[in-house]
């Protein structure tokens, strides 16, 4: 049994944000972290590895520096890593991204007992679409918002975290599960893991390696293969100085409610 | 020094662990109540931090001295007590075993220590034998297959929670000074072993320190560690690693104090502007940062010297311990000064760091002992 975990390197939102001329994020110039929901996915995979001895492969699509993040996942306990990287893949929206990752996964081989873990959503794009789209493109079932996962044979019982409660779903492998931060507490790396993480298998899949995959086609990947394009990126205007309300309590409450409603806060 | 990718990752990991797990609540509780936090200990054990520097074959992580220094630095930056937790098995507990232990002893005692399953502490100091351990009076007398130990050790870090202690005792009273002293691994549960009450200390509260008293304690000869009558001299060779650990703890404390001082100086306003706008304050910060960086390079360089088994590694460790511990005290004093009256109140972290820093120039060899070591190497 092999478990794939899709992880994304995202800008550290506590740092500065930089944007390219075409409206996409200038990732190279920003401090990066591993997307928090993806870390929950890594932990979920490692926990299953502890229980079943599965092989855990972490997969990412991104520029070469994403190697560092993948090595960290290995230092946590993953067995190997795959980086899907090439200029042809740059500027992809969720459709193209999921197309490429699904192509990469099918190139690696998704067997009948295998599981793919993703995070619910990335804190940079905030779409929560790539996981489900990968599942669709690989024609496997998906369970999103996993807050608890149990495995019995080839069946997984997954508790989904919904807005107003939980839903428990049974799903058989192969399947794709997207994880929420609340699922677990990701483990730390170990010193031994760190010392070994640069010696473990690391594969780079570029366009050449994937071009024969049915899912990979110049018209379905990269900026050109993206049905959506970012038209404009801008920084929301800064809030002005605070405003003190005046009048009777009733008048102030009314004015406050009206101005909040106008700004769609309430 | 430019760190390797692996060492950078270690720093990141140590920092993340310390900041996430060693919460302010735990730190303040330990400072207030003393004792020992077993939950934190279990986490240290789980991630192998008790065996950072111990070889993989003995249950450790196989890290080098630089990894060990980074761990002490990053843990102490958050709270020195927690650096001490992880430090003991790596240095004074594990060091003499690694240096002198036979295979059987290593497997029996070092492996559980490296995994954090058992606590091994280091018992050298006596009420009358501190900087001059050669004047110790604890005796071990041969009796068939056993040695009978009598005496008292004091200021033993971790004694109240220990499972085993590395104990130094005079086996040959004819010989003077360091000669005639042997090392033993003593099970703390043996008949005749007892601990004094935990000492009330100025700082590093939360890692208990007490006397250990030996009254006709029968230690099997298989627990003699290293050569008879020469155990002390042999083991001393490893102990500069512990000094490196204290140097790195000092560095971490100073770094923590500097960060507190910078944040406070930017936030606190007097005379209509942040106090950091005053050269009197900003130059103090510049001095603190410069001394810290000097200590950091000295420590990392000494760690590399240890890793390469360089001839002058011992002297470098003494220099690192001497300079870093004195530096940490200077930096903490300035951090308090920058905080003004608030720095004197326990609600502000610098007050605790200031107290914790004080022991760094004392334990594992006072600054004066380090000066002796350094000057002897210059004048030999």
């Amino acid at each position: 049994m092999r478990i794939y975990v899709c992880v994304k390197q995202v800008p550290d939102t506590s740092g500065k944000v930089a944007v390219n001329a075409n409206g996409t994020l200038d990732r190279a110039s920003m401090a990066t972290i591993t997307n928090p929901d993806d870390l929950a996915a890594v932990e979920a995979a490692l926990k299953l590895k502890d229980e079943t001895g599965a092989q855990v492969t972490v997969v990412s699509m991104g520029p070469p520096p994403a190697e560092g993040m993948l090595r960290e996942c290995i230092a946590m306990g993953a067995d190997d890593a795959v980086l899907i990287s090439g200029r042809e893949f740059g500027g992809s929206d969720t459709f193209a991204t999921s197309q490429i990752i699904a192509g990469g996964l099918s190139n690696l081989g998704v067997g009948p007992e295998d599981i793919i873990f993703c995070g619910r959503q990335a804190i940079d794009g905030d779409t929560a679409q790539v996981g489900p789209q990968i599942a669709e493109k690989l024609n496997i079932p998906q369970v999103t918002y996993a807050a608890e996962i149990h495995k019995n044979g080839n069946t997984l019982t997954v508790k989904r975290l919904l807005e107003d409660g939980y839903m428990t779903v049974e799903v058989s492998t192969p399947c794709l599960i997207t994880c929420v931060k609340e699922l677990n507490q990701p483990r730390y790396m170990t010193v031994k893991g760190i010392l070994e993480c640069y010696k473990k298998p690391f594969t780079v899949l570029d366009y050449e390696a994937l071009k024969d995959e049915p899912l990979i086609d110049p018209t379905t990947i990269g900026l050109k293969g993206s049905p959506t394009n970012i038209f404009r990126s801008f920084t929301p205007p800064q809030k002005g100085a605070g405003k003190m309300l005046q009048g009777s309590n009733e008048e102030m409450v009314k004015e406050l409610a009206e101005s909040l409603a106008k700004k769609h806060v309430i | 020094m430019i760190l390797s990718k692996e060492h950078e990752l270690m720093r990141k990991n140590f920092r993340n662990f310390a900041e996430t797990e060693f919460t302010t609540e735990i730190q303040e509780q330990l400072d207030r109540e003393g004792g020992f936090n077993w939950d934190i200990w279990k986490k240290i054990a789980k991630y192998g931090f008790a065996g950072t520097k111990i070889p993989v074959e003995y249950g450790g992580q196989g890290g080098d001295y630089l990894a060990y220094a980074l761990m002490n630095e990053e843990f102490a930056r958050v709270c020195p007590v927690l650096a001490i937790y992880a430090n003991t098995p790596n240095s004074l507990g594990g060091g003499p075993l690694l240096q002198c232990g036979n295979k059987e002893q290593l497997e029996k005692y070092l492996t559980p220590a490296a995994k954090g399953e058992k606590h091994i502490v280091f018992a050298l100091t006596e009420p009358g034998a501190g900087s001059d351990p050669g004047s110790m009076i604890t005796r071990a007398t041969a009796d068939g297959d056993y040695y009978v130990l009598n005496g008292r050790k004091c200021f033993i870090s971790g004694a109240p929670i220990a499972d085993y202690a590395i104990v130094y005792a005079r086996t040959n009273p004819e010989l003077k000074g360091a000669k005639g002293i042997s090392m033993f691994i003593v099970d703390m549960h043996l008949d005749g072993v007892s601990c004094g009450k935990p000492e009330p200390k100025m700082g590093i509260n939360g890692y208990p320190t007490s006397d250990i008293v030996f009254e006709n304690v029968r230690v099997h000869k298989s627990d003699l560690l290293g050569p008879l009558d020469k155990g002390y001299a042999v083991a001393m060779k490893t102990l500069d690693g512990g000094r490196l650990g204290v140097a790195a703890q000092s560095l971490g404390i100073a770094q923590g104090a500097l960060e507190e001082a910078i944040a406070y100086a930017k936030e606190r306003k007097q005379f209509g502007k942040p106090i950091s706008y005053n050269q009197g304050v900003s130059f103090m910060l510049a001095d603190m940062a410069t001394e810290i960086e000097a200590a950091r390079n000295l420590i990392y360089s000494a760690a590399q010297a240890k890793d390469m088994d360089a001839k002058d590694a011992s002297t470098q460790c003494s220099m690192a311990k001497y300079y870093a511990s004195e530096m940490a005290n200077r930096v903490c004093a300035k951090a308090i000064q920058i905080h003004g009256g608030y720095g004197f109140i326990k609600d502000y972290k610098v007050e605790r760091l200031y107290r914790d820093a004080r022991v760094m120039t004392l334990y594992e060899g006072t600054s004066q002992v380090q000066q002796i070591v350094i000057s002897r190497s210059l004048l030999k």
Side-chain angles (χ1 to χ4, degrees):
Chain A
M1 176 176 127
R2 195 167 179 183
I3 302 174
Y4 294 102
V5 191
C6 301
V7 291
K8 183 180 186 184
Q9 193 171 42
V10 295
D12 186 346
T13 45
S14 58
K16 274 188 192 158
V17 175
V19 179
N20 288 318
N22 68 0
T24 56
L25 283 174
D26 177 8
R27 295 172 195 285
S29 72
M30 289 186 280
T32 56
I33 55 169
T34 306
N35 182 49
D37 282 350
D38 300 355
L39 272 180
V42 172
E43 176 60 32
L46 294 176
K47 192 162 164 269
L48 270 184
K49 177 185 170 171
D50 292 342
E51 289 163 12
T52 66
Q55 189 195 346
V56 173
T57 302
V58 281
V59 181
S60 187
M61 182 183 104
E67 175 178 352
M69 169 197 65
L70 291 170
R71 297 285 185 191
E72 286 182 34
C73 297
I74 294 176
M76 288 168 73
D79 296 287
D80 59 348
V82 177
L83 177 63
I84 304 171
S85 191
R87 294 217 168 277
E88 295 84 350
F89 305 140
S92 293
D93 69 358
T94 61
F95 176 88
T97 299
S98 58
Q99 192 85 5
I100 297 160
I101 295 174
L105 289 170
S106 68
N107 182 269
L108 297 163
V110 181
E113 293 184 357
D114 294 354
I115 304 168
I116 301 165
F117 281 114
C118 297
R120 166 189 46 188
Q121 70 193 68
I123 55 171
D124 52 355
D126 259 342
T127 65
Q129 292 183 14
V130 171
Q133 290 188 34
I134 293 172
E136 287 302 317
K137 286 163 182 172
L138 291 173
N139 282 313
I140 58 173
Q142 57 177 283
V143 183
T144 53
Y145 305 109
E148 216 178 284
I149 300 165
H150 298 287
K151 187 173 187 295
N152 291 303
N154 280 352
T155 306
L156 296 178
T157 309
V158 183
K159 198 166 159 186
R160 300 183 65 213
L161 182 65
L162 304 178
E163 263 179 33
D164 51 355
Y166 291 101
M167 176 196 279
T168 305
V169 187
E170 275 196 3
V171 61
S172 56
T173 61
C175 60
L176 183 143
I177 293 170
T178 76
C179 304
V180 297
K181 263 206 317 264
E182 293 78 4
L183 172 64
N184 54 38
Q185 172 82 44
R187 66 192 63 187
Y188 298 94
M189 297 175 263
T190 59
V191 172
K192 190 159 156 265
I194 291 169
L195 288 170
E196 288 167 355
C197 73
Y198 278 92
K199 294 170 191 148
K200 289 275 179 74
F202 189 89
T203 310
V204 178
L205 294 177
D206 57 8
Y207 178 69
E208 272 304 302
L210 293 178
K211 68 179 189 324
D212 295 331
E213 286 295 326
L215 289 162
I216 306 289
D217 183 296
T219 62
T220 59
I221 61 163
L223 197 55
K224 282 182 201 158
S226 295
T228 65
N229 279 301
I230 295 163
F231 171 64
R232 189 165 78 95
S233 293
F234 59 94
T235 311
Q238 284 206 328
K239 279 181 241 161
K243 182 186 168 191
M244 291 296 286
L245 300 177
Q246 294 196 339
S248 70
N249 285 351
E250 255 176 54
E251 285 165 353
M252 286 193 289
V253 168
K254 187 161 177 278
E255 196 183 337
L256 177 65
E258 276 170 5
S259 67
L260 289 177
K262 213 165 143 189
K263 290 181 173 162
H264 305 291
V265 177
I266 53 173
Chain B
M1 180 187 293
I2 295 162
L3 297 179
S4 70
K5 283 181 290 194
E6 285 87 348
H7 285 109
E8 277 295 354
L9 206 48
M10 284 182 206
R11 178 196 291 289
K12 180 178 174 180
N13 194 45
F14 291 137
R15 179 171 294 200
N16 183 22
F17 180 81
E19 286 182 346
T20 313
E21 302 294 341
F22 303 168
T23 60
T24 307
E25 289 72 32
I26 295 175
Q27 295 170 37
E28 288 178 352
Q29 191 206 352
L30 285 173
D31 185 42
R32 214 171 38 240
E33 299 168 14
F36 186 80
N37 189 310
W38 289 96
D39 289 338
I40 284 293
W41 175 253
K42 278 176 203 150
K43 287 176 185 168
I44 287 173
K46 179 179 169 191
Y47 288 102
F49 298 140
T52 291
K53 185 168 75 59
I54 295 170
V56 174
E57 57 186 306
Y58 297 115
Q61 297 284 311
D64 52 13
Y65 277 94
L66 188 51
Y68 162 73
L70 290 168
M71 175 180 77
N72 271 291
E73 177 188 350
E74 289 300 332
F75 284 9
R77 173 180 164 271
V78 172
C79 181
V81 171
L82 300 147
I84 298 169
Y85 278 28
N87 181 61
T88 305
N90 279 295
S91 66
L92 294 184
L97 275 165
L98 265 175
Q99 173 79 6
C100 305
N102 57 40
K103 196 165 181 295
E104 199 179 310
Q105 289 169 334
L106 287 167
E107 279 167 7
K108 185 172 172 190
Y109 298 112
L110 185 58
T111 302
K115 290 182 175 170
E117 294 161 359
K118 299 280 181 193
H119 284 276
I120 297 192
V121 300
F122 182 82
L124 172 66
T125 300
E126 296 183 5
S131 292
D132 173 23
S135 63
M136 72 171 57
I137 54 173
T138 295
R139 276 281 276 135
T141 319
D143 178 17
D145 281 347
Y146 289 85
Y147 285 91
V148 181
L149 265 65
N150 278 290
R152 169 188 288 262
K153 298 287 176 183
C154 70
F155 301 157
I156 307 306
S157 300
I161 53 156
D163 299 291
Y164 303 103
I166 308 274
V167 178
Y168 293 81
R170 192 167 290 285
T171 33
N172 188 340
E174 307 284 300
L175 300 171
K176 295 290 167 222
K179 290 170 191 159
I181 293 174
S182 304
M183 264 190 302
F184 296 91
I185 310 160
V186 180
D187 186 332
M188 293 292 283
H189 305 103
L190 285 177
D191 284 345
V193 179
S194 58
C195 285
K197 81 171 171 47
E199 302 284 359
K201 293 173 295 191
M202 174 180 180
I204 58 167
N205 296 309
Y207 193 62
T209 302
S210 77
D211 282 6
I212 308 179
V213 181
F214 304 95
E215 292 166 295
N216 294 319
V217 177
R218 295 178 72 78
V219 178
H220 194 265
K221 65 182 183 188
S222 64
D223 288 328
L224 170 71
L225 184 59
L228 186 67
D229 293 350
K230 288 180 196 153
Y232 173 72
V234 175
M236 277 303 118
K237 282 186 192 165
T238 72
L239 298 183
D240 37 51
R243 288 177 177 168
L244 188 71
V246 175
Q249 285 167 19
S250 306
L251 172 62
I253 292 173
Q255 181 67 37
L258 173 66
E259 288 172 22
E260 292 288 322
I262 291 172
Y264 188 81
K266 284 161 84 171
E267 182 191 296
R268 169 72 171 172
K269 284 186 184 142
Q270 286 293 278
F271 305 105
K273 59 189 182 185
I275 59 169
S276 61
Y277 281 52
N278 302 307
Q279 275 191 353
V281 172
S282 64
F283 281 14
M284 250 201 263
L285 292 169
D287 285 346
M288 292 155 78
T290 305
E291 283 204 274
I292 289 171
E293 198 52 29
R296 180 171 287 125
N297 281 281
L298 184 56
I299 290 165
Y300 293 179
S301 161
Q304 283 196 322
K306 282 292 286 178
D307 283 325
M308 290 188 291
D309 210 9
K311 228 169 66 189
D312 64 343
S314 207
T315 312
Q316 283 201 42
C317 287
S318 278
M319 287 176 171
K321 200 258 178 196
Y322 170 45
Y323 181 75
S325 61
E326 296 285 346
M327 175 281 291
N329 277 277
R330 289 193 292 272
V331 165
C332 286
K334 283 179 183 155
I336 298 236
Q337 195 64 26
I338 289 169
H339 277 70
Y342 287 105
F344 196 61
I345 308 292
K346 282 185 191 282
D347 290 350
Y348 288 79
K349 188 179 173 182
V350 283
E351 182 270 345
R352 175 153 44 84
L353 290 174
Y354 180 77
R355 284 185 286 113
D356 289 345
R358 194 60 195 85
V359 76
M360 300 292 154
T361 69
L362 304 170
Y363 70 176
E364 301 213 23
T366 60
S367 287
Q368 288 64 42
V369 164
Q370 309 309 329
Q371 287 172 307
I372 293 172
V373 173
I374 298 161
S375 59
R376 272 188 192 153
S377 82
L378 298 173
L379 300 170
K380 72 182 168 192

